[in-house]
């Protein structure tokens, strides 16, 4: 009797107190018939538009305020710290606002990482990326319309590898920076972590926004910080200068590689999906 109670208690404590959502199908045509899918696309478009509008406008404003040719004060403006806050703060706000509608990706690299982690289908991933890129173009277009006199003069907020750094260094910075961001996204939205730390009231958008903030502090001097291909693409399209396009591949290849590494690390190393898959394979081979 006592042994039975003990076994029951062990089973109770060892039972999972969280539920992993089922993997998203690779292709789900049914999504195309649902209004919620198109509502999510609209949310991604608007969120990326607002993200680029606020952040690029902050960059242009800072450069115009500190330009010595226009009696600018080198100690004036928001500074690099303020630019990093603009990017991180907007991600916090927009992920908070859109997480319940689209998941709050606002970044093709995040979408790509979540696709590799089987969190979204291929159709949703591709359409999200399209919506994000169009939103970015429109957001930067608004900046150019409002700051016509300063936009081209101060670089258009376009990402470029800074003088003194090779493209290899820029690529590495983008890979590592995006790894930090996408790893944080996986960790902040992990149902196991949410169940384990349910007594700690931390909003998922907060660590994601802080990750963006910290990465910007580290990599603004190197690449201006991309870690978001839509952000780089929108600025490159509107600015449309050769240097921005020559370096542009860095801001797609780097973030996508970083996202892939983060997805593999979280899903197969930290969550042990590889061990589970191997165990399942061994069990089936012994039958």
């Amino acid at each position: 009797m006592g042994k039975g109670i003990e076994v029951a208690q062990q089973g109770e404590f060892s039972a999972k107190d969280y539920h992993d959502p089922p993997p998203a199908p690779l292709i789900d045509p049914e999504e195309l018939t649902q209004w919620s899918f198109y509502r999510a696309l609209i949310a991604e478009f608007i969120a990326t538009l607002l993200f680029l509008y606020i952040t690029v406008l902050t960059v242009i404003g800072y450069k115009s305020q500190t330009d010595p040719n226009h009696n600018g004060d080198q100690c004036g403006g928001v500074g690099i710290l303020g630019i990093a806050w603009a990017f991180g703060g907007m991600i916090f706000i927009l992920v908070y606002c859109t997480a319940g509608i689209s998941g709050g990706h606002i970044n093709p690299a995040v979408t790509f990482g979540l696709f590799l982690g089987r969190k979204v289908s291929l159709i949703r991933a591709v359409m999200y990326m399209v919506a994000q890129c169009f939103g970015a173009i429109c957001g930067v277009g608004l900046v150019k319309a409002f700051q016509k006199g300063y936009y081209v003069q101060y670089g258009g907020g376009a990402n470029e590898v800074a003088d003194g750094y090779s493209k290899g260094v820029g690529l590495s910075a983008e890979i590592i920076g995006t790894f930090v961001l996408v790893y944080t996204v996986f960790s902040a939205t992990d149902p196991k972590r949410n169940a384990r730390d349910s007594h700690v009231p931390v909003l998922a958008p907060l660590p994601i926004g802080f990750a963006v903030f910290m990465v910007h502090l580290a990599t603004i001097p190197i690449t201006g910080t991309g870690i978001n291909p839509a952000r780089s693409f929108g600025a490159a399209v509107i600015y449309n200068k050769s240097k921005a396009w020559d370096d542009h591949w860095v801001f797609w290849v780097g973030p996508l590689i970083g996202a892939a590494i983060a997805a593999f690390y979280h899903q197969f190393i930290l969550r042990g999906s590889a061990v589970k898959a191997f165990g399942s394979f061994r069990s089936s081979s012994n039958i």
Side-chain angles (χ1 to χ4, degrees):
M1 181 72 176
K3 185 176 181 180
I5 295 174
E6 182 181 349
V7 171
Q9 288 177 336
Q10 288 177 349
E12 179 182 348
F13 286 117
S14 63
K16 288 171 66 174
D17 56 354
Y18 67 96
H19 298 282
D20 284 314
L26 180 62
I27 298 176
D28 186 9
E30 188 177 341
E31 284 185 314
L32 299 174
T33 65
Q34 298 171 348
W35 162 242
S36 60
F37 174 71
Y38 296 98
R39 182 179 62 186
L41 292 180
I42 294 170
E44 287 292 311
F45 171 82
I46 295 297
T48 314
L49 183 155
L50 294 174
F51 176 59
L52 268 293
Y53 170 72
I54 294 297
T55 54
V56 173
L57 198 59
T58 301
V59 172
I60 300 299
Y62 164 67
K63 289 186 176 181
S64 66
Q65 290 173 321
T66 56
D67 186 356
N69 296 323
H70 291 84
N71 298 318
D73 181 3
Q74 288 296 311
C75 297
V78 296
I80 289 180
L81 185 64
I83 292 173
W85 270 122
F87 280 88
M90 279 305 291
I91 287 297
F92 169 69
I93 292 167
L94 294 170
V95 172
Y96 178 81
C97 292
T98 60
I101 301 169
S102 65
H105 297 192
I106 322 171
N107 184 337
V110 170
T111 300
F112 181 65
L114 293 175
F115 165 70
L116 294 180
R118 300 292 303 277
K119 307 296 184 183
V120 295
S121 69
L122 177 62
I123 292 174
R124 185 175 290 264
V126 171
M127 294 303 292
Y128 270 24
M129 292 180 188
V130 171
Q132 291 156 359
C133 288
F134 274 110
I137 292 170
C138 293
V140 182
L142 286 176
V143 175
K144 185 174 182 179
F146 294 157
Q147 291 276 15
K148 214 163 193 177
Y150 293 135
Y151 179 80
V152 175
Q153 181 181 355
Y154 295 116
N159 287 122
E160 300 173 355
V161 178
D163 294 338
Y165 295 97
S166 68
K167 285 185 173 62
V169 172
L171 181 65
S172 300
E174 290 294 309
I175 291 172
I176 296 171
T178 311
F179 174 86
V180 172
L181 170 59
V182 178
Y183 173 39
T184 303
V185 170
F186 271 102
S187 298
T189 58
D190 188 343
K192 182 177 182 180
R193 188 206 64 82
N194 291 335
R196 184 191 65 215
D197 300 338
S198 59
H199 61 287
V200 182
V202 176
L203 292 170
L206 185 60
I208 296 172
F210 262 105
V212 172
F213 167 68
M214 296 304 295
V215 171
H216 273 76
L217 287 181
T219 59
I220 282 177
I222 303 173
T223 62
T225 308
I227 68 171
N228 183 335
R231 174 260 185 274
S232 303
F233 181 70
V237 168
I238 301 299
Y239 185 54
N240 199 27
K241 300 293 182 182
S242 59
K243 171 64 172 170
W245 285 118
D246 289 344
D247 295 347
H248 189 62
W249 66 271
V250 170
F251 301 100
W252 279 92
V253 175
L256 294 182
I257 291 175
I261 296 172
F264 176 83
Y265 175 64
H266 185 270
Q267 294 296 98
F268 291 96
I269 306 299
L270 299 186
R271 290 301 305 272
S273 296
V275 175
K276 295 174 187 175
F278 182 68
S280 175
F281 172 76
R282 290 186 62 186
S283 299
S284 62
S285 64
N286 291 332
I287 295 176

